[in-house]
Amino acid sequence: MPHLPDVVLWSVPAFVLLTVVEMVSYRLHPDEDAAGYEAKDAATSVGMGLGSLVFDALWKIPIVAIYATIYELTPLRVPVLWWTLILMLLAQDFFYYWSHRGHHVIRVLWACHVVHHSSKKFNLTTALRQPWTTWTVWPFYVPMVALGVHPAAIAFTSGANLLYQFWVHTERIDKLPRPFEFVLNTPSHHRVHHASQGGYLDRNFGGILIIWDRMFGSFVAETERPVYGLTKNIETFNPLRVATHEYAAIARDIRAADSWRERAGRVFRGPGWQPAERVAAEEARKAAQEARKAAEEARKAGPAGERAPASVEEPAT
């Protein structure tokens, strides 16, 4: 197995330099419509990124052990050559797409990934806002290990994918020429992914390539300006709360659940899932509320709100 560098670690100086350049660009050429920078928000994003380095090192121990076991059990071997490395990058990006999509539609996975979407800003520091519970990611790459890809090669390709995605977290780059926009994940496509509008939700999951979204029906082009953040923002800059708030919400919902079926749904269904009976009860409550409001308005209109009959003048004599 040839030595493969830690591309993310080697790129840290570039991350810092490009972030400073983007910050300066907002000072020199402000954009009132852009989300821009906020000191507390940027500090939280950087803190989340630093924390992720620590926690990823801890999670890596059991994950590497699992990958190594699978790799030893499989008779297949993929050599690391320049052309196989390209194929590995392509395969990793394919499985990243499904991992990313799964982390949006399964709530316990979303509890990990929601961290990355928790900022109402969209700039290069947002790329650093990484989760601390990435233990949910490793199962998606098991097929690569089973096919004989060395775990170190998966680590390298995952790092390359993460490195690529750094530059797409910006509003300073408009749409690129059409061939690039058709094939690659670009700032325009990723702005859609981070938006909280209904038509933009759960779209554009690609890491390096956007063709997976085009193939599997999750692509949406950027048209209106995105509004960033969550559908229900958490309004905190505390890194610990940012990292754990959705896990805490899941725990509260499980405690309040009426059945084991509902408890399972709170964990394994989508982030906004509600049991049918609760949805029906909420709709009935809203209908009753609207009926009371209408009755109150009708009562207030009453006789005083009715038009008085027109007066009839007496004929002149």
Side-chain angles (χ1 to χ4, degrees):
M1 180 67 195
H3 175 71
L4 294 170
D6 187 334
V7 292
V8 173
L9 185 63
W10 279 98
S11 301
V12 168
F15 293 165
V16 175
L17 177 61
L18 291 172
T19 301
V20 171
V21 168
E22 186 183 48
M23 288 180 176
V24 171
S25 76
Y26 274 107
R27 289 297 184 107
L28 298 178
H29 301 284
D31 183 351
E32 293 182 358
D33 294 326
Y37 275 85
E38 180 182 350
K40 288 183 178 180
D41 178 85
T44 300
S45 294
V46 172
M48 296 303 300
L50 293 173
S52 73
L53 296 176
V54 176
F55 285 98
D56 282 353
L58 296 176
W59 298 126
K60 192 176 292 184
I61 297 171
I63 292 170
V64 168
I66 295 170
Y67 280 177
T69 302
I70 297 171
Y71 185 75
E72 289 301 319
L73 290 174
T74 180
L76 304 175
R77 289 294 181 268
V78 179
V80 179
L81 306 170
W82 70 266
W83 62 272
T84 59
L85 201 55
I86 294 173
L87 294 178
M88 291 177 196
L89 282 165
L90 185 65
Q92 191 278 336
D93 197 53
F94 172 78
F95 287 112
Y96 172 85
Y97 169 85
W98 289 109
S99 171
H100 196 179
R101 188 165 180 169
H103 278 73
H104 273 253
V105 299
I106 299 173
R107 191 181 182 193
V108 69
L109 303 186
W110 173 244
C112 163
H113 186 63
V114 66
V115 170
H116 187 59
H117 287 262
S118 61
S119 174
K120 291 188 283 186
K121 304 294 182 181
F122 189 76
N123 52 57
L124 292 177
T125 64
T126 308
L128 307 178
R129 187 176 285 229
Q130 295 295 321
W132 295 357
T133 54
T134 50
W135 53 270
T136 60
V137 173
W138 69 268
F140 290 90
Y141 300 104
V142 166
M144 290 184 67
V145 183
L147 289 171
V149 178
H150 195 283
I154 293 177
F156 172 78
T157 55
S158 297
N161 197 312
L162 189 64
L163 172 61
Y164 176 88
Q165 291 188 61
F166 177 76
W167 76 281
V168 301
H169 291 82
T170 184
E171 293 186 279
R172 303 307 270 177
I173 299 175
D174 202 356
K175 291 190 177 183
L176 300 178
R178 187 172 297 178
F180 294 98
E181 294 285 340
F182 187 81
V183 175
L184 297 173
N185 185 20
T186 65
S188 177
H189 298 328
H190 209 59
R191 286 192 289 268
V192 168
H193 179 71
H194 273 259
S196 59
Q197 291 107 306
Y200 283 171
L201 285 176
D202 298 335
R203 300 291 178 175
N204 299 0
F205 300 108
I208 297 174
L209 301 176
I210 203 67
I211 57 173
W212 311 122
D213 291 281
R214 296 184 185 277
M215 290 172 60
F216 299 114
S218 54
F219 175 75
V220 166
E222 182 182 32
T223 52
E224 61 180 312
R225 181 173 286 275
V227 176
Y228 305 109
L230 305 172
T231 54
K232 294 181 180 179
N233 288 301
I234 54 176
E235 308 297 345
T236 182
F237 298 112
N238 183 326
L240 185 60
R241 285 190 60 199
V242 172
T244 61
H245 73 274
E246 185 63 16
Y247 291 107
I250 291 175
R252 288 194 298 270
D253 287 342
I254 289 174
R255 285 197 299 269
D258 296 326
S259 65
W260 283 106
R261 179 177 174 276
E262 182 181 346
R263 292 184 184 97
R266 296 293 189 181
V267 175
F268 298 109
R269 288 181 177 267
W273 179 82
Q274 295 281 345
E277 52 272 21
R278 287 183 184 264
V279 173
E282 179 64 17
E283 290 177 350
R285 186 190 67 79
K286 288 181 178 179
Q289 190 176 41
E290 290 295 323
R292 286 195 299 270
K293 183 178 178 181
E296 181 66 17
E297 290 176 351
R299 185 187 65 78
K300 290 180 179 179
E306 297 175 0
R307 293 182 59 187
S311 60
V312 179
E313 294 184 357
E314 292 182 4
T317 56

